[in-house]
Amino acid sequence: MSQKDYDMIPRWYVVHTYSGYENKVKTDLEKTIKNRELEDFFFEIIVPMEEQIEIKDGQKKTNLKKVFPGYVLIKMIVTEESWYIVRNTRGVTGFVGSGTDPIPLSDEEIRKMGFEDVPVKVDYEVDDNVKISGGPLDGYTGIVKELKKDKNKVIVLVSMFGRETPVELEFSQVQKLD
């Protein structure tokens, strides 16, 4: 892999680690990045945690539990050097992906994990004619009335039973008609 094979866009990658080494990998990587002055290539290193409430002997206790044990998420620009540094950090067994090249997470995967808001790009807007795909209204057409970008939903006016009915759908269920 040569430098020209990489784009300079930061993306999220998943790194596999020995179980129990997630926080150590994060700390060691952060130190190495600082020492080698590579902050321009690394943006975030996350060990995803979630709160878990446990009740023991009538006492409520809150613990942080790893969401993906054995994995660390890194937002980085992959270059020969940044890739080498991550791969050779103690406790890292490799990048998740096929073969030797690290494969970034898709926007959809990032959205589902919920640790970063990835805006959904849609090619339709209010007053556009659209076709619905999937769900009980598959094949129906309608007119976009509202885009709820914060919720990734769209309100479409669909003609049903002789009248216009507003229907809330996922962005992915609607395609613009030419």
Side-chain angles (χ1 to χ4, degrees):
M1 279 191 300
S2 65
Q3 186 62 45
K4 66 182 183 305
D5 293 339
Y6 300 112
D7 59 28
M8 298 308 280
I9 297 165
R11 300 186 198 284
W12 283 101
Y13 295 89
V14 180
V15 175
H16 196 267
T17 68
Y18 292 122
S19 192
Y21 273 74
E22 302 87 354
N23 291 324
K24 179 133 183 53
V25 163
K26 176 179 161 69
T27 310
D28 289 354
L29 251 175
E30 286 168 345
K31 267 190 218 149
T32 307
I33 291 162
K34 201 171 163 72
N35 290 343
R36 297 206 184 182
E37 296 179 355
L38 289 170
E39 290 92 347
D40 292 347
F41 295 93
F42 292 90
F43 297 82
E44 238 178 305
I45 301 172
I46 297 177
V47 179
M49 306 290 258
E50 66 184 359
E51 275 190 4
Q52 205 172 39
I53 296 165
E54 196 180 317
I55 296 170
K56 204 174 186 178
D57 304 327
Q59 296 292 317
K60 187 171 150 185
K61 200 172 133 191
T62 306
N63 291 327
L64 279 178
K65 184 176 176 268
K66 290 182 187 104
V67 180
F68 309 114
Y71 296 95
V72 175
L73 300 163
I74 303 175
K75 187 173 190 174
M76 63 186 278
I77 293 171
V78 171
T79 64
E80 197 68 52
E81 190 177 10
S82 67
W83 188 60
Y84 177 86
I85 283 168
V86 174
R87 247 186 17 237
N88 290 290
T89 297
R90 226 176 119 219
V92 170
T93 59
F95 279 89
V96 173
S98 61
T100 52
D101 292 352
I103 308 281
L105 291 173
S106 68
D107 286 352
E108 188 62 27
E109 289 167 323
I110 294 164
R111 255 193 301 284
K112 281 181 181 158
M113 289 182 190
F115 58 86
E116 182 175 274
D117 289 331
V118 179
V120 176
K121 292 179 189 78
V122 292
D123 65 350
Y124 49 83
E125 48 197 64
V126 173
D127 295 332
D128 279 352
N129 286 312
V130 292
K131 181 179 181 183
I132 299 167
S133 60
L137 299 177
D138 189 18
Y140 275 79
T141 58
I143 298 167
V144 175
K145 268 298 155 228
E146 185 185 343
L147 294 172
K148 295 183 168 184
K149 292 199 177 196
D150 55 329
K151 292 190 169 94
N152 293 333
K153 303 259 188 201
V154 57
I155 305 288
V156 178
L157 276 184
V158 180
S159 184
M160 285 191 286
F161 313 117
R163 62 180 204 166
E164 300 277 289
T165 307
V167 182
E168 187 176 77
L169 300 159
E170 298 285 330
F171 278 166
S172 59
Q173 290 180 285
V174 175
Q175 272 106 38
K176 183 177 178 176
L177 287 172
D178 296 328

